[in-house]
Amino acid sequence: AKILVAEAEENNLGDDAVDSRAERWYSCSLCEQDYHGAVFCALGWACWKTYLGRPETDEFRGIAMTRLGNGLSAADHDEDALTVREVELAMKRRLGASVYNTLISQSNLSNSYHNVGRIEEALNMRRDVYSGWMRLAGEHRNTIHAASNYAISLLDLQRYAEVKSLMRTTIPVAQRVLGESNATLKLKAIYAGALMKASDATLDDVREAVTTFEETARISRRVLGSAHPAAVDFEAKYRKSRELLRACEAAVAPSNA
């Protein structure tokens, strides 16, 4: 990635060429999937060390700080990621960054708040980020990701009715914009979780949740591969939902006898 970006800059290949080559810092050129875990973290550190010496106003120095925060988060170094992201957002505000770039930093910081258990702060920032993307971009992938994060915070606080309402609005948009991507599958899993966990959930709600989890697990195995963390997570949620359904059906059976 370092060599590719340097070559593009040296030969003035244009912003599109530079941006596409910069993707190699976080995405595999062969399978086109994002790196995760320790590999993502190592690349984040490598990216930061590569561009650290540039001025604060340099685009790639800012990108490198983002990659570092994301890499630390991917490797579950949550407190370190939080520190990096707080510094990054403060720097962007000081330099008068665009609304677009500020929203990205706020989104990343809200994820760190969530990961260290600062749930209310995460919710408030995620609500602001979602509203910001809606105003700035409308039906855009970043708006969809923001809706996903906002819904997760609502789930944390057991505000299931709000989750279901938000997901019913967002899932059709995600299917149009992103197709059956990992992001779309994640939204469906969030919706299924809210269906299943609500205190007023009916047996039909639980059955719908099981069907949805089964679908997300099946598609994720095909699209991402069975070893991908998201596919593993969807499969675990599917198994857990089936166990709950069996328990619910067993509880209902005697009253119908």
Side-chain angles (χ1 to χ4, degrees):
K2 175 181 177 181
I3 295 171
L4 290 172
V5 171
E7 182 183 67
E9 288 184 310
E10 183 179 345
N11 294 312
N12 297 316
L13 298 183
D15 291 342
D16 289 344
V18 172
D19 291 344
S20 66
R21 294 177 181 216
E23 290 177 0
R24 299 287 75 80
W25 282 114
Y26 64 89
S27 178
C28 176
S29 60
L30 297 177
C31 68
E32 298 184 348
Q33 297 290 336
D34 290 352
Y35 296 112
H36 49 83
V39 174
F40 196 172
C41 186
L43 286 169
W45 274 113
C47 186
W48 175 241
K49 291 176 182 177
T50 298
Y51 302 113
L52 172 61
R54 296 191 179 191
E56 276 192 339
T57 53
D58 182 85
E59 177 186 6
F60 273 95
R61 190 182 190 279
I63 290 172
M65 184 172 284
T66 301
R67 296 286 169 260
L68 175 59
N70 291 351
L72 289 167
S73 180
D76 297 326
H77 300 307
D78 296 319
E79 293 289 349
D80 292 334
L82 174 62
T83 299
V84 170
R85 288 167 167 175
E86 286 179 332
V87 171
E88 179 186 12
L89 180 58
M91 182 186 73
K92 287 188 175 180
R93 284 173 169 164
R94 187 175 69 253
L95 296 175
S98 67
V99 174
Y100 182 98
N101 287 331
T102 301
L103 285 171
I104 289 175
S105 291
Q106 287 179 298
S107 178
N108 290 336
L109 180 56
S110 74
N111 291 342
S112 285
Y113 284 149
H114 173 267
N115 292 341
V116 300
R118 292 163 63 172
I119 304 302
E120 290 285 354
E121 289 171 276
L123 174 68
N124 292 336
M125 185 166 282
R126 285 173 167 179
R127 181 180 58 241
D128 292 344
V129 169
Y130 173 61
S131 298
W133 281 119
M134 283 292 291
R135 290 192 299 270
L136 182 66
E139 292 188 356
H140 186 274
R141 66 171 57 246
N142 290 346
T143 309
I144 294 165
H145 287 301
S148 176
N149 288 337
Y150 181 30
I152 289 171
S153 286
L154 290 170
L155 273 179
D156 289 338
L157 296 171
Q158 301 180 11
R159 290 162 60 171
Y160 301 123
E162 292 174 72
V163 175
K164 288 185 284 186
S165 176
L166 179 60
M167 292 298 93
R168 286 170 182 147
T169 300
T170 307
I171 289 172
V173 175
Q175 290 173 319
R176 288 197 302 272
V177 175
L178 303 176
E180 292 296 347
S181 65
N182 185 27
T184 304
L185 297 176
K186 185 177 179 181
L187 294 173
K188 290 181 177 181
I190 291 170
Y191 175 66
L195 276 175
M196 192 172 64
K197 293 177 181 177
S199 59
D200 59 349
T202 65
L203 190 57
D204 285 341
D205 288 334
V206 178
R207 286 171 176 155
E208 183 182 352
V210 172
T211 300
T212 303
F213 279 131
E214 181 181 19
E215 178 188 36
T216 58
R218 174 176 49 80
I219 295 174
S220 66
R221 287 195 301 271
R222 174 171 54 81
V223 174
L224 304 173
S226 59
H228 191 282
V232 172
D233 182 56
F234 291 143
E235 184 65 33
K237 285 182 168 66
Y238 170 50
R239 289 197 300 269
K240 186 174 181 179
S241 69
R242 288 184 61 188
E243 292 172 4
L244 177 62
L245 177 59
R246 284 195 292 269
C248 291
E249 289 175 334
V252 170
S255 63
N256 293 335

